[in-house]
Amino acid sequence: MPATENPVARVAVDVPLAHLDRPFDYLVPEAMSQTAVPGCRVRVRFAGRKVDGFVLDRRAASEHSGTLTPLTRVVSAESVLAPEVARLAGLVADRYAGTTADVLRLAVPPRHARAEREAAGMPGRPAAQPGEHAPAAEAVDSRANLTVGLGAGVRPAAEAVRSVASSAGGSGPAGVGQAAGVGDSGVVATGAAGDSGVDAAGAVGDSGVDATGAVGDSGVDAAGAVADSGVDAAGAVGESGVGLATGIAEWGRYASGPAFIAALTRGRSPRAVWAALPGPEHWAAAIAVAVDAALSSGRGALVVLPDKWDVARLDSALALRLGSGRHVALTAELGPAERYRRFLTVRRGQVKAVIGTRAAAFAPVADLGLVVCWDDGDDLHEEPRAPYPHAREVLMLRAHDVGAAALVGGIAVTAEGARLVSSGWAHPIRAGRKTTRAFAPRVVVGGEDSGARADEGDAARAARLPTSAWLAAKNGLERGPVLVQVPRGGYAPALACARCRTPARCAQCSGPLSVTSGHAIATCGWCGALAGEWACPECGHRRFRARVVGAERTAEELGRAFPSAPVVSSNAQTRRSAVPARPALVVATPGAEPVAAGGYSAALLLDGWALLDRADLRAGEEALRRWLNAAALVRADGAVVVVAEPSVRSVQALVRWDPSWHAERELADRTALGFPPASRMAAVEGTADAVAELLGVVHLPPDAQVFGPIPVGDQRVRALVRTPLSGGGALATALKQGQGVRSARKATDPVRVAVDPHPLT
């Protein structure tokens, strides 16, 4: 017997097939009427088997004219899928040519029954009731309703997919932009996000539409909200009625910083790209002030960081700023029970400030007023699972959708951040040159010092260091710890013939040979075979030389060069979070640098060529980001020596400590060449036949360019498809429809589609 009230449940079924990417209607039995609430987990029968799903909405009737299948069971009456998160999942799926089911797997953690029972008695926001209006279904099923002026021809992406699957032709409704009309077609968006489309580095929108007023009805200009002319920083803090005096100290060093905090405290939604000053704890304290400002206006805040180490730093800063119990941290390291318990705390509205790694971008924060993406250039922000969204883009979509403030920050600035500023979607927050020089250490390019003594030069050569780097380490050790950044881990990760320099390869599989210590036998990095009898195929020589020196050998050589100083190693496998202030050589790989109490006295950035010579569009940008993050740990009176070619732009930006200049130049170069973020690019990878089939059925935009396919190993090929930003939505829609055609045909060979992949090689 069906439920007497709203007997129809719209369910997002966990089926990752592109041609079935839409909600389905099910009948709610009377026995499940009180538990099948919007947002809860259910089991349903789909195509002859039982699958999981989420109830998006309860309705009085269905548009389906046939008989509805009843729900199999309610897994839990806990409403875990918030309507705004369901809507965001649809936007992300459209942006990245994926399916809503794939995004929901990233957004909602797996259920942990015991944690759910333990949290059942905790106070919080009441669960959604069967009879109340919950617009999640409309958000997923009718994402194009976020647009106006399109007429009656707008259809959900899944419906367009079904049309293509049946006719093998057509590219869907003309003019429908990706990201549910927030995207690329120049469409004007409505709803909570405000009154115009936006251009968020091609993520929130590629139309180039000016974003003035896009934040909503607050009257704040999208970029000018940060500048907020006429706002006196000190007065604004006083008017807010909250204790943000220390916010002046943290943000007063930036020209637009106080105005940004003032706008947040007044409930407005400024958007900014922030080039943070160096200092191991400054950025965390500044973000804590921004979160406090958002909370003081009665709204929630969400901060996404690259890894658990950054989360721990901000966690400490927020505990100091807000006190205990006012925020939660969400990371994978918590374990399934604790992570789910904290997720429920957020979903029930018990806390309104959330920090975490990339999956936290989907956290169901109530009344979201601020999103922050810290160090957005870190590749840890990109999800390795389909549809491979980047946390920065997810947060920008979310900020636009709900009308929240947005802050993209880092010690370095990315080309994507520069595009946000150049498009007018965000305002830059940066310190003046005088302030920057007061906080930044002195940076020099390593080389031979003509004034060095002969014995100093010999000692430097024995340690394989330029004389200036050796002197910086020697002088730094007299005042505290010295950081040594080495691009590669291991001992000697790449070998060559000692006589003719031919790269050493495995005789069995041609893989690269490496050694793990000075006395170890060379082994193959692919098959693991020992190469004890190796001989150079070119000259017959049997001795190796290191093509690349890893962190372990560097630590060994520095230990011999400075026998009185202890050597501390930190890498991805054995990472240290902090080191004491006493003298020591701290050898670390990029991203694993521990924080030194009081800051490092000096830093050596070795083998810069290894970072700059990578086959990646973002190699220079990434090298600068890693250097700046390491140099930011050095105190202001310390010294930084970078061993790299001084004429390279990334090195110049480091010496000048001007990441914004580098990002602007990088963006200008990519714009001239047609590379992201000045264009939209998709990588299509699979077997040769599968890629050819997909490219054969899609109806790409007229201005799309296809490069390849080219072999990428293991009998797989990859093709790149590029369009201008104005065609980015059409490109994502076309690729999604093509995937729908293949799934409807039950194609067996999968094709991996990644929009704006990172890295782009």
Side-chain angles (χ1 to χ4, degrees):
M1 178 180 175
T4 56
E5 184 179 358
N6 293 328
V8 177
R10 307 217 76 187
V11 178
V13 182
D14 188 8
V15 178
L17 298 175
H19 71 289
L20 299 175
D21 186 26
R22 64 182 179 89
F24 290 87
D25 290 353
Y26 284 84
L27 191 67
V28 181
E30 179 61 33
M32 303 180 190
S33 180
Q34 298 302 312
T35 55
V37 297
C40 76
R41 304 177 196 261
V42 293
R43 291 278 285 177
V44 298
R45 185 167 292 278
F46 188 89
R49 61 191 183 94
K50 293 180 180 180
V51 298
D52 296 322
F54 294 99
V55 174
L56 299 176
D57 198 7
R58 291 278 297 274
R59 297 185 176 185
S62 172
E63 298 175 359
H64 179 65
S65 58
T67 302
L68 296 181
T69 301
L71 299 174
T72 301
R73 72 183 180 95
V74 175
V75 177
S76 169
E78 184 79 40
S79 178
V80 293
L81 179 60
E84 60 270 21
V85 176
R87 183 171 59 248
L88 176 65
L91 299 178
V92 172
D94 286 344
R95 164 67 171 82
Y96 285 95
T99 64
T100 304
D102 282 338
V103 180
L104 288 177
R105 287 196 206 99
L106 307 176
V108 183
R111 178 175 181 251
H112 195 280
R114 185 178 63 184
E116 192 172 280
R117 289 193 301 269
E118 291 173 352
M122 298 174 63
R125 191 171 54 183
Q129 298 302 313
E132 74 176 71
H133 179 65
E138 289 93 341
V140 175
D141 194 24
S142 304
R143 294 192 288 271
N145 288 340
L146 286 174
T147 65
V148 296
L150 290 180
V154 177
R155 297 175 294 168
E159 183 180 340
V161 168
R162 294 194 302 276
S163 174
V164 173
S166 61
S167 63
S171 57
V176 179
Q178 149 209 15
V182 188
D184 314 303
S185 57
V187 185
V188 176
T190 65
D195 306 320
S196 75
V198 295
D199 185 347
V204 182
D206 304 314
S207 59
V209 181
D210 182 76
T212 303
V215 198
D217 302 325
S218 62
V220 184
D221 181 87
V226 182
D228 198 7
S229 58
V231 176
D232 177 72
V237 172
E239 294 170 13
S240 69
V242 294
L244 291 176
T246 56
I248 297 296
E250 297 296 342
W251 288 94
R253 304 173 179 125
Y254 306 94
S256 301
F260 180 82
I261 299 301
L264 285 177
T265 59
R266 293 175 175 178
R268 304 172 78 174
S269 300
R271 300 190 293 258
V273 173
W274 171 39
L277 287 168
E281 306 299 338
H282 163 67
W283 64 267
I287 292 177
V289 170
V291 170
D292 191 11
L295 295 179
S296 71
S297 68
R299 300 176 294 171
L302 173 59
V303 185
V304 176
L305 307 102
D307 55 41
K308 66 177 182 180
W309 307 96
D310 288 335
V311 171
R313 291 190 202 177
L314 183 57
D315 188 34
S316 299
L318 284 173
L320 184 64
R321 179 83 194 177
L322 305 178
S324 62
R326 295 193 62 194
H327 77 282
V328 296
L330 299 176
T331 64
E333 290 76 16
L334 292 172
E338 181 60 24
R339 182 186 176 196
Y340 189 62
R341 188 179 294 110
R342 295 188 184 189
F343 172 85
L344 292 179
T345 301
V346 179
R347 178 68 182 100
R348 293 171 179 177
Q350 295 166 349
V351 293
K352 299 181 71 172
V354 176
I355 65 174
T357 48
R358 57 177 178 261
F362 297 96
V365 180
D367 306 316
L368 186 61
L370 171 67
V371 297
V372 181
C373 183
W374 172 253
D375 199 8
D376 65 303
D378 197 312
D379 57 6
L380 292 176
H381 279 303
E382 181 165 15
E383 175 60 52
R385 295 170 292 176
Y388 320 107
H390 194 287
R392 177 191 56 241
E393 311 305 302
V394 174
L395 291 175
M396 297 305 100
L397 282 169
R398 192 168 185 181
H400 178 69
D401 182 44
V402 302
L407 180 63
V408 178
I411 303 296
V413 179
T414 61
E416 286 78 8
R419 172 152 177 77
L420 289 174
V421 173
S422 67
S423 67
W425 193 84
H427 187 88
I429 294 181
R430 63 186 69 153
R433 295 305 304 164
K434 184 177 180 180
T435 302
T436 300
R437 298 316 305 176
F439 278 82
R442 183 174 62 92
V443 182
V444 297
V445 180
E448 294 302 322
D449 189 347
S450 59
R453 301 193 310 269
D455 59 331
E456 293 175 337
D458 293 340
R461 283 187 289 274
R464 292 188 312 100
L465 293 175
T467 307
S468 57
W470 186 88
L471 288 172
K474 177 177 177 293
N475 296 332
L477 286 171
E478 297 175 358
R479 300 183 294 122
V482 174
L483 175 64
V484 182
Q485 186 193 72
V486 184
R488 306 278 181 88
Y491 190 82
L495 300 174
C497 173
R499 178 186 293 168
C500 68
R501 307 299 194 263
T502 300
R505 294 283 178 177
C506 175
Q508 298 183 23
C509 69
S510 298
L513 297 182
S514 63
V515 293
T516 57
S517 73
H519 305 287
I521 299 176
T523 57
C524 176
W526 292 357
C527 69
L530 296 176
E533 301 298 324
W534 179 87
C536 177
E538 297 296 328
C539 68
H541 195 62
R542 305 182 68 88
R543 293 179 64 87
F544 296 111
R545 74 182 302 271
R547 294 174 55 207
V548 178
V549 176
E552 293 180 14
R553 180 170 173 181
T554 300
E556 181 181 287
E557 293 174 342
L558 288 175
R560 289 196 295 264
F562 300 96
S564 61
V567 179
V568 179
S569 295
S570 179
N571 51 54
Q573 290 73 37
T574 58
R575 180 169 177 177
R576 294 173 175 263
S577 60
V579 294
R582 59 176 176 268
L585 287 165
V586 181
V587 181
T589 52
E593 301 91 350
V595 176
Y600 289 99
S601 60
L604 312 182
L605 310 177
L606 304 182
D607 299 337
W609 60 269
L611 294 176
L612 295 169
D613 290 352
R614 293 185 307 127
D616 182 7
L617 174 68
R618 301 176 176 89
E621 178 181 277
E622 177 65 5
L624 177 61
R625 187 189 71 83
R626 294 182 177 188
W627 290 337
L628 285 172
N629 284 348
L633 301 177
V634 180
R635 51 182 182 250
D637 62 348
V640 176
V641 179
V642 56
V643 182
E645 170 57 46
S647 62
V648 176
R649 179 192 302 165
S650 302
V651 179
Q652 295 177 4
L654 175 64
V655 172
R656 296 165 52 187
W657 206 281
D658 197 348
S660 297
W661 168 81
H662 184 274
E664 292 163 1
R665 292 288 301 274
E666 190 77 11
L667 176 62
D669 286 352
R670 295 192 202 174
T671 301
L673 297 172
F675 287 129
S679 66
R680 180 62 47 79
M681 189 169 286
V684 181
E685 184 176 323
T687 64
D689 291 342
V691 171
E693 179 187 11
L694 177 59
L695 294 179
V697 299
V698 299
H699 293 264
L700 296 173
D703 49 6
Q705 298 173 286
V706 179
F707 304 99
I710 60 172
V712 292
D714 195 23
Q715 298 182 342
R716 297 176 66 83
V717 299
R718 181 179 62 197
L720 297 177
V721 186
R722 181 176 68 184
T723 66
L725 285 178
S726 59
L731 172 63
T733 299
L735 291 172
K736 185 172 182 176
Q737 291 172 353
Q739 290 282 61
V741 172
R742 296 191 73 247
S743 65
R745 293 176 178 176
K746 299 183 179 180
T748 56
D749 292 335
V751 176
R752 182 184 189 271
V753 175
V755 178
D756 290 344
H758 186 109
L760 184 60
T761 57

